[in-house]
Amino acid sequence: MTRVFVYGTLKKGQPNNCRLFESNNGKAEYLGLAFTIQKYPLLITTKNNIPFLLNIPGQGHRVHGEIYKVDDQMLKFLDDFESVPTLYQRTVVQLEVKEWVGKMEGEEKVSPGSIMDVFVYTATTCEPDWRSLLCYENYDSEGDHGLKYRRREERD
């Protein structure tokens, strides 16, 4: 099982969270809340208002999200869903745990403040105008930013 940090449309209450629990995609278990140790730019961009985390440590904000434990089948699904390696890449990020509900067999309980390395999906590119966009620390598809996410089935 592999730990993955989600910060966008895969979080609870967001449009694609259900994909983590469709059994034909594999298995996923919610473990807790966390935020990045380093600051990163989290942007909402393109005509579909997609959240992108840029792999530019030291800029932006400490990004808040959720940690999931996923099996190999779900990891493969997520790689496909995130269009790896075209749109996103799977990289490692260091997180500080905010809240932990997961139970890890053979490991001690994780407490708030613990530091861990997990996988995250970051953008493979940074368009020139992206650096001037507003950065967020916590993504919500219905947030007061007014940038409504367009689901895949709604796109041209």
Side-chain angles (χ1 to χ4, degrees), residues 1-2 25-27 69-79 90:
M1 300 292 270
T2 304
N25 294 340
K27 293 182 182 171
K69 177 173 65 171
V70 300
D71 66 5
D72 289 343
Q73 182 179 344
M74 179 60 75
L75 193 61
K76 167 85 170 82
F77 167 79
L78 289 172
D79 283 352
R90 183 165 25 109

Side-chain angles (χ1 to χ4, degrees), residues 101-133:
V101 299
K103 298 162 191 65
M104 300 296 290
E105 301 82 29
E107 297 181 23
E108 57 189 71
K109 178 141 174 67
V110 176
S111 56
S114 297
I115 308 297
M116 65 175 57
D117 292 337
V118 302
F119 283 120
V120 66
Y121 291 92
T122 59
T124 56
T125 188
C126 178
E127 298 297 325
D129 64 327
W130 287 11
R131 289 184 183 260
S132 65
L133 296 174

Side-chain angles (χ1 to χ4, degrees), residues 80-99:
D80 292 342
F81 180 76
E82 300 290 8
S83 301
V84 171
T86 310
L87 195 57
Y88 290 92
Q89 59 192 343
R90 183 165 25 109
T91 58
V92 175
V93 68
Q94 197 169 56
L95 303 176
E96 180 178 333
V97 174
K98 183 176 178 183
E99 170 189 284

